[in-house]
Amino acid sequence: MKTGVRTSSSAKAAPERVDGRRERSRSSHRRIVEAMLELINGGDLAPSAARVAEEAGIGLRTVFRHFDDMDSLYAEITATITERVMPIVTAPYPDQDWRANVRELVRRRVRVFETTLPFRLAANIKRYQSPFLMGQYSKVVMLERDLILRLLPGEVLGDRVSVEALCAALSFQNWRALRHDQGLPAEEAATVMGHMVDTLIAALPKGAAV
């Protein structure tokens, strides 16, 4: 007598249907995030949920099934961009003079700022209506400032005016002004930022530049 348990075809099909739904859900999620980034990179700095749905080729209801509101979508995109740029931000610095490391920081800032420019322009427009983007803005400003302070020797840290000037020169706000407001190409904007930093370092009191 056979003792094995026969599995019906319907029982086998059920997990396949579940897996298929999950894969479609993951695909829709990715398409929404990619559509949002495409729109922003294409110059639409404040796309609506309806515009995102159209770009992704899905229904508006699907967008809100995956994201309760636009803030949750901004959070997802922020995580995606952060994953891309953090290896640049957190890479160790060579064992060299602090001034050389500050110049290396300029090069890193240029890469990160240029990579994130469209999204940060969009976030700047929306942050006054978005608790998430406003909170994220404050965190990023503090992080960027802290990364500068870590490179400066005590003698320079004691010169408050020079520290604040370096933070301003190396800020995204400065990069935005050079690229967006003044319309400089990225290479020229990088040269200007580097010149500003070199000028500030050269202006330090002799006792502070050791």
Side-chain angles (χ1 to χ4, degrees):
M1 183 176 64
K2 295 181 180 180
T3 58
V5 177
R6 297 180 61 187
T7 302
S8 68
S9 60
S10 60
K12 291 180 180 178
E16 293 176 0
R17 286 198 298 270
V18 171
D19 289 343
R21 285 196 296 269
R22 287 173 179 169
E23 181 54 38
R24 287 193 296 273
S25 178
R26 285 192 290 266
S27 176
S28 294
H29 194 93
R30 287 193 300 269
R31 286 162 63 188
I32 292 166
V33 173
E34 290 167 2
M36 182 75 160
L37 283 171
E38 284 293 325
L39 288 169
I40 291 173
N41 289 331
D44 186 350
L45 300 182
S48 64
R51 186 72 184 89
V52 172
E54 180 184 358
E55 179 71 16
I58 59 177
L60 181 59
R61 292 176 62 183
T62 302
V63 172
F64 287 111
R65 275 204 302 270
H66 286 270
F67 300 97
D68 293 336
D69 51 30
M70 292 302 286
D71 257 11
S72 59
L73 180 51
Y74 284 128
E76 181 84 11
I77 294 173
T78 298
T80 299
I81 293 174
T82 299
E83 186 176 358
R84 294 177 186 172
V85 302
M86 283 308 288
I88 302 171
V89 173
T90 60
Y93 284 86
D95 184 13
Q96 59 186 0
D97 179 76
W98 69 268
R99 286 162 288 200
N101 281 336
V102 171
R103 294 184 182 102
E104 169 63 19
L105 177 61
V106 173
R107 291 187 285 272
R108 295 186 187 190
R109 288 282 163 98
V110 168
R111 290 175 63 193
V112 171
F113 288 167
E114 192 61 17
T115 298
T116 60
L117 180 61
F119 179 66
R120 292 184 71 166
L121 289 174
N124 191 59
I125 292 172
K126 286 292 189 178
R127 65 187 169 95
Y128 294 101
Q129 293 85 40
S130 166
F132 170 79
L133 290 177
M134 182 60 79
Q136 192 69 20
Y137 172 82
S138 299
K139 290 178 183 178
V140 171
V141 169
M142 291 179 65
L143 173 62
E144 290 175 351
R145 180 183 179 85
D146 183 60
L147 291 171
I148 297 170
L149 299 183
R150 293 179 191 180
L151 298 178
L152 303 179
E155 296 84 356
V156 176
L157 289 172
D159 185 341
R160 181 175 175 81
V161 172
S162 295
V163 169
E164 296 301 334
L166 280 169
C167 288
L170 285 161
S171 68
F172 176 76
Q173 288 74 15
N174 183 42
W175 185 254
R176 180 196 58 76
L178 294 171
R179 290 284 284 119
H180 189 256
D181 298 345
Q182 294 173 223
L184 299 182
E187 185 176 352
E188 189 172 345
T191 300
V192 172
M193 179 178 278
H195 176 71
M196 293 172 72
V197 170
D198 284 342
T199 301
L200 289 168
I201 290 175
L204 288 167
K206 291 184 178 180
V210 295

